[in-house]
Every structure is written in structure tokens, then in C-alpha cells.
Amino acid sequence: MMIPKKFVPVMLTPFQESAAIDYKALEELVEFYLSAGAGGLFANCLSSEMYDLSREERLAMVSFIVEKVNGRVPIVATGTFPDTLENQASFIKEMHSTGIDSVIVITGLLAGESDSEQVFEANVKKLLDLTGDIPLGFYECPVPYKRILRADFLGELVKTGRIRYHKDTCLDIDGVRAKIAAGKSAADFALYDAYMVHAVDSLKAGSAGLSCIQGNYFPELVVWLCTHYNDNSEDVDKVRRFFTENMAVMHDTYPASAKYILGKRGLGITQVCRNGSALSSGADYDNLDGLLQKFEELAEQINLKVYSL
């Protein structure tokens, strides 16, 4: 039997016009993700503009999400930010106390960009020692820089029983396959791929699912791909090409672009971002309106149920 694949959204943070967190819109967003079929949530991530949130906001927002989800799906959230290892460990404990399933560690914050693999791996092991038995995961976040985990080191960590989650951004299908193979020693370890260009190949290779920014535009389409990826059909190829061919427009002004699309889809979310992202020209709006039209046409072609609030 095939194990069902899951889509885990990298959650946006809705802001009011004043740039305060909009908790009413956040509750709507949670319900939208779940109605679209999300199998988990990744809160307090780069898409959440986590580096532009205060310590108190990060904890309050994740606690709110845990309360609203109420056990319906697992939740992971980032727990490391620029600081000493000891202070990162302390915040991991605080984040875990919100009730999430695993705390995510940013690989690029455990060693400097010029530091060796030996330094990085020693710091990872030290952080594990400092955080008791808290379940952890890794995110190869592009900010402050992208540090890719070696497959054999990931496999070594998975064998400790502490590592439950990995969000992969290596953009290399062979690297993804190697990490999947390295993690097979633990039944409760899951690798989620962020790169939609090889999403079908990644799912076929044994990834647990997808965790990509495209799901902040059209979550039900990512869920559809997680369900139908193994079908030998033209529809799968249409969906694959849609994500590949529209990669640029979905990245260019993100996350403001995703907030604009969600607003057009009926969510009460503003385009306000704290990280400087904004739609700055008529061409930006035209491109996104065209993207939404293409999605609606594709949804009709593959008989996809489109969700809205």
C-alpha cells in the first residue's frame, strides 16, 4: 500500500494596515489551509516573515495557531534565531511549550557561512544535547544563507530518534533521494520537499510530501498533486507544467503576491508585509491576475474543487 503524501503549508502572517498581526485573518487562513486538505502546518517560517516578528509575537502567533487547529493536524514551527547556541536552545524549549509537535532548526544559524562542516555538525550535536528530548526538525532556509545537510549526517541524526521533520531546499533530486534513503531507519521521520520543479519525482522517490510557497496561492492544487502524482495521466503533467512555468511570477514579489491572490480568492487578508515585499507596478498585478486565471482554467480541466471562504 502507498503511504498518503501530505501538503504542509509554509504559513503566511496576515498583517493589519498598521502592520500588527491580524489574528482574525490568521484564523481564516488556518481554516482555508485545512479545508484545502493540508496535512500539517509549518508556522513561524520564512514565509511567515519570522525574522520581522518579535520574540513575543512568534510565541503568541504559534500558540494561537495551536489553539485554533486543536489537534486536527500536526504543527511545526521555527525555534532558532540569530543568537548563541545556549539561547537558541532556550527558545526551542519555549516554542515547544506552545504545544507544537516538533521545533524546526534553521541550518544556516548553527554555523557561519565560512565555517567548516565539522564546526556545523558539532554545533548541531551540541544543540541536541542542550534541548533534552524535544522533537526537532531541520529547514535549509535561504536566509541568512542556505546550508544543505549532508545525507549521511542527516541519517546519523535520524537514528537518535530526535529528528522528525526535514524541509528540503537543495533543489537537487539526487540529493533528495539520498536524504530519503538516509532517513528510512526511523518510521516517524518525514522529508518534505520545497522545490516544485521536481515535485513529482520527489514524491515518487518516497518524500512524505510537499512544503512549498506555491501552496500559499493554490493549496488545493498542491494537495491534488500529492494525491495523484503517481497517476499516468495528462492531468499530472498539466499540473507539473503549471507550477514549473509559473515559478517566476510566484516568487517575484512574494509573499505580497500570495496575499494578493488569497485576497482575490475571498480571504480577508491585506497585502501588508513587514519584510519589504510589495506589488510595485501595474505589471505585477496583471501577471498575478493572469496567474489566477490560468489556475481557474486548470482547475476546470482537472475537475479540481476550488476552496474559498
Side-chain angles (χ1 to χ4, degrees), residues 30-262:
V30 166
E31 295 305 323
F32 179 65
Y33 288 136
L34 297 184
S35 295
L41 296 175
F42 186 171
N44 195 39
C45 57
L46 192 60
S47 289
S48 313
E49 301 169 72
M50 62 182 182
Y51 290 119
D52 296 286
L53 301 173
S54 69
R55 181 188 189 93
E56 293 73 23
E57 285 175 323
R58 293 165 186 155
L59 292 168
M61 184 175 68
V62 172
S63 296
F64 178 86
I65 293 166
V66 169
E67 178 187 351
K68 297 305 174 184
V69 170
N70 194 27
R72 286 177 286 174
V73 297
I75 302 169
V76 301
T78 304
T80 58
F81 293 89
D83 211 327
T84 64
L85 283 177
E86 289 75 13
N87 287 342
Q88 288 188 51
S90 176
F91 191 64
I92 283 173
K93 294 172 184 176
E94 287 188 73
M95 186 57 74
H96 186 247
S97 71
T98 63
I100 60 174
D101 294 83
S102 298
V103 183
I104 302 302
V105 174
I106 303 299
T107 55
L109 292 175
L110 295 184
E113 189 168 6
S114 61
D115 285 338
S116 68
E117 277 298 295
Q118 289 78 10
V119 170
F120 167 70
E121 292 176 10
N123 286 344
V124 171
K125 292 176 181 178
K126 182 177 179 181
L127 188 69
L128 263 66
D129 288 341
L130 290 169
T131 50
D133 59 356
I134 293 174
L136 301 177
F138 292 104
Y139 173 21
E140 297 165 337
C141 184
V143 181
Y145 74 96
K146 188 188 291 190
R147 183 177 283 269
I148 302 299
L149 278 172
R150 291 189 300 107
D152 58 345
F153 183 55
L154 177 60
E156 178 185 340
L157 296 171
V158 168
K159 288 177 182 176
T160 68
R162 293 281 307 284
I163 309 305
R164 307 291 175 81
Y165 187 101
H166 176 66
K167 175 175 164 137
D168 196 272
T169 68
C170 74
L171 315 183
D172 173 18
I173 188 59
D174 290 332
V176 171
R177 290 187 179 113
K179 290 176 188 171
I180 291 169
K184 283 187 175 177
S185 63
D188 55 359
F189 170 74
L191 181 148
Y192 291 88
D193 203 344
Y195 192 42
M196 292 303 287
V197 170
H198 63 219
V200 172
D201 290 335
S202 174
L203 292 165
K204 288 182 177 180
S207 67
L210 303 171
S211 186
C212 52
I213 71 165
Q214 288 80 2
N216 280 325
Y217 297 84
F218 314 117
E220 61 271 72
L221 190 58
V222 183
V223 171
W224 185 95
L225 191 61
C226 286
T227 303
H228 296 279
Y229 71 94
N230 213 34
D231 296 353
N232 185 18
S233 72
E234 290 184 8
D235 287 349
V236 171
D237 193 54
K238 286 178 183 177
V239 173
R240 180 192 60 78
R241 283 190 282 110
F242 172 81
F243 284 125
T244 301
E245 293 170 1
N246 294 289
M247 186 76 66
V249 69
M250 286 193 260
H251 276 82
D252 283 348
T253 54
Y254 183 81
S257 51
K259 293 178 179 182
Y260 172 72
I261 290 291
L262 292 180

Side-chain angles (χ1 to χ4, degrees), residues 15-27:
F15 295 110
Q16 301 173 20
E17 293 296 340
S18 65
I21 296 175
D22 187 337
Y23 282 98
K24 180 180 178 182
L26 180 58
E27 183 173 4

Side-chain angles (χ1 to χ4, degrees), residues 243-290:
F243 284 125
T244 301
E245 293 170 1
N246 294 289
M247 186 76 66
V249 69
M250 286 193 260
H251 276 82
D252 283 348
T253 54
Y254 183 81
S257 51
K259 293 178 179 182
Y260 172 72
I261 290 291
L262 292 180
K264 295 278 285 189
R265 297 193 60 188
L267 275 73
I269 187 171
T270 72
Q271 295 173 44
V272 175
C273 297
R274 289 188 187 176
N275 68 357
S277 171
L279 307 184
S280 58
S281 69
D284 290 336
Y285 288 96
D286 291 343
N287 288 337
L288 290 169
D289 289 340

